Amino acid sequence: MLTAQRDSLRLLRAILLASVILPAALFSYAAWLAYRSNEDSAERQIDKTRDIVTEHALKIFESVERSIAETAEIIRGMSDDQIRAEQSVLHDRLKRLSDGSEQIKSMWIFDKDGQALVNSILYPSPPGSFADRDYFKGPMEHDVGVFVGRTLQPRPPFGGAPFFSVSMRRPAPDGSFVGVINASVLPDYFEGFYAKVGRDSGSYAALVREDGAILARYPAIDSNDLTVKTDGLIGRAMTAGSVEGTVTVVSALDGIERRVAYRKLPKLPVYVYAGLETRAIRNMWLSQLGAYLLVGLPATAALIAIVVLALARTRRLYEEAGRRAVAEKALKQSQRLESLGRLTGGVAHDFNNLLMVVGGSVQKLRRRHTDLQDRRTFDMIDSAVAKGAGLTRQLLSFSRRHNVAAKLVDLGDAVSKFADVLRQSVRSDTTIVIEPPPEPVVVQIDPNEFEIALLNLALNARDAMPEGGRITVSIRTETLKNFGPRRLTGEYAILGFADTGVGIPMEIRDRIFEPFFTTKPVDRGTGLGLSQIYGFVQQSNGAITLESEIGRGTRFDLFFPRSTDVAVEEAEDADAMPALTGKHTLLLVEDHPDVAAVAADYAEQCGFTVVKAASAEIALDLLNRRKDIDMVFSDIVMPGMSGIELARLIRDHHPEMPVVLASGYSDRSASALAEGFTLLQKPYTLNTLRKALAQAIQTARSSAAE
């Protein structure tokens, strides 16, 4: 049956996988073909644009050179003085040349000192030296033929748009330098043409000098520095000895990546560029892919939906059977744990009574025998009683039937005070590091249960680090929202307990909080340590989480709701316990004769005159007949009327009389605490009884005074 289910599910998964992989493979192949086609188309478009801007630039420079050559022919054989004398005529000639060309802004003739002899803009030419301009210094220093200058701003009194210059030397008959003929060219003319050519999104074109200075660019740059280098592209081309090529570069001006084709103009120190943004190329490719998806995606989605629906329906049928099996298993587990809880609760009362009798009897024997050997025997019995009480408390903690005496506790302070005990519980080769919070972190927990939880964690960490290691205890706060299975929400304090031990295998992590589950040898652990921690945290309205890595260690995080109240330091027992002055008569209500004997002995040592009652009904009769009874000490679980019912009747008819209740275990103990009765857990000692009775008397006196 299971094999057939697995085979059918495996077949449906294979079909589902094929319905995803096959269309994806076809789409990937089509996308690759489209990408190659798109790249080739972009390359052709870029090359075509480069050819157009190259042809345009050659025609412009050829036209400018003709204008310069015509000017040189006009002034051939004329000296500077003759030119000045003919300035009016020459100004008109130059003006006609510049006006007849859209790309030429102005024409100039300079002498060897950089003084303007004639220009096409102003007549007469104003005085002033232009010897510092590159279009003058270049031809003066070297006979380079046609010199192309950088883009410049006009110098007052001249105005207008920026320009770059095309200039040539004026040689004397002997070849010496006598001046410069210059034509100022408008970059706007080139940029306007580039804008017409590059109408597609992401188009790019530029005219750049050999040294990288920009002469014209589209899209135009918003910068006053028109001599910015262009990503070292010119340098790369010159180093490689290349006059043309195609590269992909990121512009230093606008940070945009482009695919660019370049070419050097023949006999001129100028390069032309044409390109497209790689983003635009990619967008064209993505648009083509979108068309493919528009056609193929609905059909593929429909196919996948059909297969997924069939798989889901089949899986639901099989999972329903699986859920029934899991539910049966969970029910058995729940019944087992519930049975354990009931067994624990049923045994706890009688077991604690037995511990009470043993412990009280030992104390009586201890007072009578002072022999050292007897004292050691008594110590062993006391130790066994304490261990038995601890075992019972751990069982009750897991079943959540242990009464938690919650108090406001500063976590950082509590951990610091308990640090010495933790260090004594581990080996000397184990380091314990406490990381206290920067401010008080107050929670409402049972401090005794908290210390037991810390000790259990330390013992588990010790066993997980056979060769020593490090334990780190940290405290932090965090705001949670629907955290974990219990969906914790609000401000929480988090106590982290981490070790560097062997870690917890994944296959047993779901069981580590179960009672009696342990991986330790029979004589090394009971399996109740982590279950006690789990029950304690749950009863504190918190949660516990686990993180572990094999060979690296384990970390437990204990979550407690954070309180806004301030923790109050409790005074020492000697200071907190009021003195019992005068003679007091105590009505002891206990159905177990041996426990009654121990309790009576303790009460008499506290200075009370003890009157015994074996049931609540007898106690009520004594209270009605006797007027000398000062307080009542009663067990909760008794045949007939319970101790808590007796306490309620006393409160109604004798509100001035203090009542103390005792319990080894009762599911009504929580009600006793909620109603304000003093509750003493069995097995109790002489000191704990004295303290409980004294506090009950003090509380009754305070109420009477009010």
Side-chain angles (χ1 to χ4, degrees):
M1 179 65 179
L2 292 177
T3 302
Q5 290 180 0
R6 285 194 294 268
D7 290 343
S8 61
L9 289 175
R10 190 178 296 112
L11 177 60
L12 286 173
R13 291 193 191 99
I15 296 173
L16 176 61
L17 188 63
S19 64
V20 173
I21 293 178
L22 184 59
L26 292 175
F27 176 78
S28 299
Y29 180 68
W32 180 79
L33 291 178
Y35 178 80
R36 297 302 307 167
S37 175
N38 190 69
E39 286 287 311
D40 293 341
S41 176
E43 291 285 351
R44 289 193 297 271
Q45 181 180 345
I46 292 171
D47 289 342
K48 181 179 179 181
T49 305
R50 180 191 58 185
D51 294 341
I52 293 173
V53 297
T54 299
E55 186 68 24
H56 175 263
L58 287 174
K59 290 181 178 179
I60 296 302
F61 278 103
E62 181 180 352
S63 173
V64 173
E65 288 179 23
R66 282 201 304 269
S67 298
I68 294 175
E70 184 177 344
T71 302
E73 187 63 31
I74 293 172
I75 62 173
R76 180 188 297 276
M78 296 177 65
S79 65
D80 290 350
D81 292 337
Q82 291 174 326
I83 293 173
R84 289 190 184 94
E86 298 292 334
Q87 185 178 169
S88 175
V89 176
L90 293 175
H91 167 75
D92 293 338
R93 294 287 298 274
L94 295 180
K95 184 173 177 56
R96 284 195 296 273
L97 285 175
S98 62
D99 291 344
S101 175
E102 295 181 9
Q103 63 271 15
I104 296 178
K105 177 182 180 182
S106 60
M107 299 288 298
W108 299 74
I109 302 174
F110 298 98
D111 64 11
K112 65 179 181 178
D113 297 322
Q115 298 288 334
L117 299 175
V118 184
N119 70 80
S120 63
I121 301 176
L122 295 177
Y123 171 79
S125 183
S129 175
F130 293 85
D132 59 329
R133 293 290 203 177
D134 62 346
Y135 54 75
F136 182 83
K137 292 194 299 183
M140 179 187 70
E141 295 171 356
H142 306 285
D143 188 3
V144 294
V146 177
F147 177 84
V148 180
R150 293 172 177 265
T151 302
L152 302 172
Q153 293 287 350
R155 179 178 295 175
F158 305 100
F163 65 93
F164 67 87
S165 298
V166 179
S167 56
M168 297 178 61
R169 288 169 65 105
R170 288 178 52 216
D174 59 359
S176 62
F177 176 78
V178 296
V180 171
I181 301 174
N182 173 65
S184 298
V185 181
L186 292 168
D188 290 348
Y189 181 79
F190 289 89
E191 292 171 354
F193 178 77
Y194 297 159
K196 294 177 182 178
V197 174
R199 293 179 179 178
D200 295 332
S201 175
S203 295
Y204 170 79
L207 186 69
V208 185
R209 286 198 344 160
E210 214 169 29
D211 62 354
I214 297 174
L215 301 178
R217 185 183 189 271
Y218 175 80
I221 56 173
D222 185 15
S223 174
N224 293 325
D225 184 6
L226 301 178
T227 63
V228 180
K229 303 293 182 180
T230 58
D231 298 314
L233 181 58
I234 293 297
R236 259 183 266 166
M238 294 178 65
T239 302
S242 172
V243 296
E244 67 177 62
T246 303
V247 293
T248 301
V249 293
V250 178
S251 172
L253 302 177
D254 52 22
I256 297 176
E257 184 182 69
R258 295 180 173 89
R259 185 71 174 165
V260 178
Y262 63 90
R263 177 177 291 160
K264 188 177 184 299
L265 298 181
K267 300 180 181 180
L268 287 171
V270 177
Y271 279 77
V272 293
Y273 290 89
L276 284 173
E277 295 180 11
T278 54
R279 178 176 55 188
I281 300 174
R282 185 168 55 252
N283 287 341
M284 288 187 288
W285 174 58
L286 292 176
S287 297
Q288 194 169 357
L289 294 187
Y292 294 164
L293 290 174
L294 189 62
V295 175
L297 194 58
T300 303
L303 175 61
I304 294 175
I306 293 172
V307 178
V308 167
L309 181 61
L311 179 61
R313 289 177 62 87
T314 305
R315 185 183 289 116
R316 279 199 298 270
L317 292 176
Y318 295 154
E319 286 178 351
E320 185 63 31
R323 278 196 296 270
R324 282 196 293 268
V326 172
E328 291 176 1
K329 182 179 179 181
L331 178 60
K332 292 179 181 179
Q333 174 73 359
S334 175
Q335 290 172 341
R336 184 175 69 85
L337 294 179
E338 181 64 22
S339 298
L340 176 62
R342 290 181 180 180
L343 175 64
T344 300
V347 171
H349 182 267
D350 293 335
F351 188 67
N352 280 329
N353 280 339
L354 294 176
L355 293 175
M356 181 78 193
V357 173
V358 174
S361 300
V362 168
Q363 296 304 318
K364 183 178 291 187
L365 291 173
R366 189 188 292 275
R367 293 198 305 272
R368 296 178 182 177
H369 300 272
T370 58
D371 182 71
L372 180 60
Q373 186 64 36
D374 291 340
R375 191 182 307 165
R376 290 176 179 172
T377 302
F378 297 151
D379 290 341
M380 292 170 58
I381 298 174
D382 280 337
S383 176
V385 170
K387 290 180 180 178
L391 180 63
T392 306
R393 183 172 55 250
Q394 286 179 318
L395 288 170
L396 292 173
S397 292
F398 171 77
S399 60
R400 304 186 199 177
R401 302 185 181 192
H402 176 64
N403 296 311
V404 175
K407 299 177 182 177
L408 292 175
V409 175
D410 183 345
L411 275 185
D413 185 56
V415 172
S416 298
K417 289 180 178 178
F418 199 64
D420 290 338
V421 178
L422 294 179
R423 293 188 175 94
Q424 293 172 5
S425 66
V426 298
R427 290 181 296 271
S428 58
D429 56 0
T430 300
T431 302
I432 296 181
V433 178
I434 308 295
E435 298 178 354
E439 60 182 6
V441 178
V442 179
V443 296
Q444 191 163 13
I445 57 175
D446 186 329
N448 294 328
E449 292 293 316
F450 176 66
E451 291 179 354
I452 294 173
L454 283 180
L455 186 59
N456 284 330
L457 287 172
L459 295 177
N460 279 344
R462 178 197 65 187
D463 295 338
M465 299 184 293
E467 299 180 358
R470 176 188 178 98
I471 295 175
T472 303
V473 183
S474 61
I475 299 170
R476 70 183 193 277
T477 59
E478 191 172 333
T479 301
L480 304 180
K481 184 176 182 181
N482 296 328
F483 175 78
R486 301 190 68 186
R487 306 187 71 81
L488 304 181
T489 300
E491 283 287 330
Y492 276 78
I494 305 171
L495 183 139
F497 197 100
D499 63 56
T500 57
V502 296
I504 301 175
M506 181 65 70
E507 58 270 15
I508 68 171
R509 292 182 189 176
D510 292 337
R511 301 188 59 198
I512 61 172
F513 295 116
E514 292 183 7
F516 302 114
F517 176 80
T518 179
T519 58
K520 300 175 185 177
V522 176
D523 59 342
R524 292 289 303 279
T526 63
L528 291 174
L530 290 178
S531 66
Q532 179 271 333
I533 300 170
Y534 178 83
F536 159 65
V537 172
Q538 295 288 313
Q539 282 191 292
S540 301
N541 298 317
I544 182 170
T545 60
L546 164 69
E547 294 179 7
S548 186
E549 185 176 350
I550 300 300
R552 299 292 297 275
T554 301
R555 177 185 179 90
F556 291 93
D557 281 331
L558 281 62
F559 294 76
F560 302 103
R562 187 175 182 183
S563 175
T564 56
D565 297 330
V566 178
V568 179
E569 290 287 340
E570 292 190 359
E572 297 294 332
D573 290 349
D575 298 329
M577 183 175 62
L580 292 171
T581 59
K583 289 292 183 177
H584 299 276
T585 300
L586 174 70
L587 176 57
L588 175 62
V589 187
E590 174 62 62
D591 64 311
H592 195 294
D594 293 335
V595 175
V598 173
D601 181 57
Y602 283 170
E604 289 170 353
Q605 292 184 57
C606 294
F608 285 90
T609 300
V610 178
V611 178
K612 297 182 181 179
S615 68
E617 290 80 3
I618 296 174
L620 286 175
D621 182 60
L622 290 172
L623 284 171
N624 292 329
R625 288 190 293 105
R626 300 185 58 163
K627 304 300 180 182
D628 60 335
I629 296 176
D630 299 306
M631 70 181 304
V632 177
F633 178 43
S634 173
D635 189 16
I636 289 182
V637 179
M638 293 182 294
M641 183 184 296
S642 68
I644 191 170
E645 292 172 331
L646 172 63
R648 290 168 182 164
L649 288 173
I650 295 173
R651 174 176 288 178
D652 293 339
H653 296 88
H654 304 279
E656 76 286 352
M657 182 170 295
V659 178
V660 177
L661 299 176
S663 174
Y665 155 71
S666 172
D667 53 2
R668 288 173 288 181
S669 298
S671 299
L673 288 172
E675 294 179 29
F677 294 110
T678 302
L679 182 65
L680 193 59
Q681 294 288 345
K682 294 180 181 179
Y684 50 82
T685 64
L686 172 62
N687 288 333
T688 56
L689 177 61
R690 178 185 289 115
K691 182 177 179 180
L693 297 177
Q695 286 180 341
I697 292 174
Q698 183 187 48
T699 302
R701 289 174 180 173
S702 300
S703 300
E706 294 177 356

